[in-house]
Amino acid sequence: MAKILVIDDERAIRNTLKEILEFEGYTVDLAEDGAVGVSKARENQYDLVYTDVKMPNMDGTEVLDQLAGTCPVVMISGHGNIDMAVDALKHGAYDFLTKPIDLNRLLVTTKNALESKTQKEEIKSKNEEISNLKRKAGQMNQMIGSSPAIEHVRQIIEKVAPTEARCLITGDNGTGKEVVARLLHQLSPRADKPLIEVNCAAIPSELIESELFGHMKGSFTGAIKDRAGKFEQADGGTLFLDEIGDMSMAAQTKVLRALQESEITRVGSDKAIKVNVRVIAATNKDLPQEIINKNFREDLYHRLNVIPVHVPKLEDRVEDIPALVEHFANIIAEEQNCKVKEFTPEALEALQQRKWPGNIRELRNVVERLIILAGDVISADDIAIFA
């Protein structure tokens, strides 16, 4: 239950307010002047403070200044006027009540002030949560390392991101193609617009067109309402088509048309919808070979492959492993709520000598396993046992 402090030099006023508020279920403390009230407020966490304006030792305005930002403060006065009320609100008071205090006004003000405090706390908590998510997203979307191979990729991103050019990101599974795509979006003029990601390999071929272009109600079994596709959702922003080498030929044809004409048509509709989308695609397949095998359209390949970005394997940038290990160790320690563990030079050398078929994704998993299972200092022996 909410805890309220009443500060007033008149005992009768203090006791009356205490009786009324406690009857409503609130916990109420009393103070006979401003100095005592501020002292109590600093020792206790109150949800609301009522303070008289004119008091000995410290008046209500000084109390308000001392308690600013800690909780809602309502000023009360037997000599109140409009100018005094306006001045109090300018100094940050939640409200201003005049004596004799109207019972209904007191209860409504108390209820509203406490709800306002709760809302502010919820907003603050939400903002902190969003800030943490952004920080974690920033950690996930960093390109860690300074090897020549990764520096080359970083330079391409810096040059290409500010443009509207389409990019085709290639590389083995686990190399970080998604990170490259997100950086291309974050460093582009479209950064404040949506980045919509589609894993083409995870969507059944019979649903890929609906997923990309949307559908109309009744266009197929299960289409119970109109639905915008990923192209529409990404309008003004970026559409990331991951694993595009797994897309069906029928969907490829429609994607090609969307790129050529900057418009799409929902499944079950004949109405064209204009879209302004930058498309970034990624694949771990050899698309030129897929073209020879009749699995991928050559014209779509050339539409997508305006700027090729190849992400190197981890074995081609082993000098980045110590930096990557440190990066992952810090993130995982935070996630697991444990201390950051130290890797010995011998342990790092052992990791550099390993084969990494799963690339950076595999390395992260190994670091997490070591942090959970090994001791405070991770040695080469730990690598041999747990990695």
Side-chain angles (χ1 to χ4, degrees):
M1 180 54 67
K3 193 173 182 180
I4 300 173
L5 173 65
V6 175
I7 309 172
D8 199 299
D9 59 337
E10 295 184 52
R11 178 179 296 177
I13 296 293
R14 295 198 304 270
N15 291 338
T16 298
L17 291 178
K18 178 180 175 67
E19 183 179 346
I20 293 170
L21 293 170
E22 285 186 338
F23 182 79
E24 294 297 318
Y26 302 115
T27 300
V28 182
D29 285 345
L30 301 177
E32 63 272 18
D33 63 43
V36 173
V38 168
S39 177
K40 283 193 173 186
R42 287 174 175 167
E43 293 173 359
N44 301 276
Q45 188 171 354
Y46 292 105
D47 299 296
L48 174 62
V49 171
Y50 278 100
T51 181
D52 191 14
V53 175
K54 293 187 177 181
M55 295 180 293
N57 297 330
M58 181 185 292
D59 66 20
T61 302
E62 292 178 90
V63 171
L64 179 60
D65 290 339
Q66 292 285 331
L67 303 184
T70 60
C71 67
V73 177
V74 178
M75 311 292 282
I76 51 179
S77 176
H79 311 282
N81 54 47
I82 292 177
D83 290 340
M84 186 181 290
V86 170
D87 185 62
L89 295 175
K90 282 183 177 179
H91 277 78
Y94 178 80
D95 204 348
F96 187 95
L97 303 182
T98 57
K99 300 175 183 177
I101 300 173
D102 179 79
L103 176 60
N104 289 331
R105 177 76 189 277
L106 174 70
L107 298 180
V108 169
T109 298
T110 301
K111 178 176 179 292
N112 291 342
L114 293 173
E115 287 180 352
S116 171
K117 180 176 184 292
T118 301
Q119 289 172 356
K120 287 181 179 179
E121 289 173 349
E122 288 175 350
I123 291 171
K124 181 181 178 183
S125 176
K126 193 68 175 178
N127 287 339
E128 289 175 352
E129 182 182 345
I130 291 171
S131 178
N132 287 333
L133 288 173
K134 286 183 176 179
R135 177 175 54 79
K136 288 180 180 179
Q139 290 174 335
M140 291 173 61
N141 294 339
Q142 294 181 50
M143 291 192 68
I144 306 300
S146 56
S147 64
I150 209 65
E151 281 294 338
H152 177 66
V153 175
R154 190 177 282 119
Q155 290 170 9
I156 293 176
I157 292 172
E158 290 174 354
K159 289 180 179 179
V160 176
T163 74
E164 290 292 298
R166 300 186 194 103
C167 300
L168 179 61
I169 307 168
T170 57
D172 287 6
N173 286 328
T175 52
K177 298 187 292 296
E178 301 90 345
V179 173
V180 173
R182 292 177 190 137
L183 286 172
L184 285 167
H185 174 73
Q186 289 174 4
L187 299 176
S188 77
R190 296 173 178 260
D192 59 342
K193 299 296 183 181
L195 169 64
I196 303 298
E197 302 183 31
V198 182
N199 188 331
C200 301
I203 303 171
S205 57
E206 63 271 16
L207 296 178
I208 187 70
E209 291 184 44
S210 170
E211 189 72 16
L212 291 175
F213 310 112
H215 60 252
M216 305 302 292
K217 178 180 179 181
S219 56
F220 55 86
T221 302
I224 58 176
K225 61 180 180 179
D226 294 351
R227 181 176 179 275
K230 300 300 186 183
F231 268 89
E232 286 182 76
Q233 294 172 31
D235 190 34
T238 304
L239 180 65
F240 175 42
L241 300 176
D242 196 11
E243 305 298 351
I244 196 167
D246 294 282
M247 183 181 287
S248 68
M249 293 294 283
Q252 290 178 38
T253 302
K254 286 198 171 186
V255 169
L256 177 63
R257 178 176 176 271
L259 297 181
Q260 290 173 331
E261 303 178 16
S262 296
E263 63 180 30
I264 57 97
T265 303
R266 291 183 181 181
V267 176
S269 172
D270 56 4
K271 179 183 177 182
I273 300 173
K274 285 288 183 181
V275 288
N276 174 18
V277 174
R278 181 187 189 182
V279 173
I280 297 172
T283 183
N284 62 350
K285 291 190 173 182
D286 182 350
L287 290 189
Q289 185 60 49
E290 292 296 304
I291 292 170
I292 294 172
N293 296 340
K294 306 296 184 183
N295 293 326
F296 202 83
R297 293 185 60 118
E298 184 174 6
D299 44 6
L300 177 59
Y301 172 75
H302 291 302
R303 284 278 178 180
L304 294 171
N305 195 35
V306 177
I307 304 292
V309 184
H310 182 71
V311 186
K313 299 177 183 178
L314 186 55
E315 66 184 41
D316 294 330
R317 44 178 298 214
V318 291
E319 59 265 59
D320 290 332
I321 286 179
L324 287 163
V325 168
E326 180 183 5
H327 175 69
F328 291 141
N330 288 328
I331 292 176
I332 293 164
E334 182 179 349
E335 291 176 351
Q336 300 291 342
N337 194 28
C338 64
K339 63 182 291 186
V340 178
K341 296 188 177 181
E342 177 187 350
F343 284 71
T344 67
E346 293 76 17
L348 293 174
E349 184 178 352
L351 290 173
Q352 287 178 297
Q353 292 174 353
R354 276 176 57 99
K355 297 294 183 183
W356 296 102
N359 292 291
I360 294 176
R361 186 179 298 130
E362 182 185 1
L363 174 63
R364 189 196 191 284
N365 292 342
V366 167
V367 172
E368 183 168 7
R369 190 183 313 141
L370 288 163
I371 287 176
I372 294 172
L373 299 178
D376 289 343
V377 178
I378 298 172
S379 66
D381 289 340
D382 294 318
I383 306 298
I385 295 170
F386 300 115

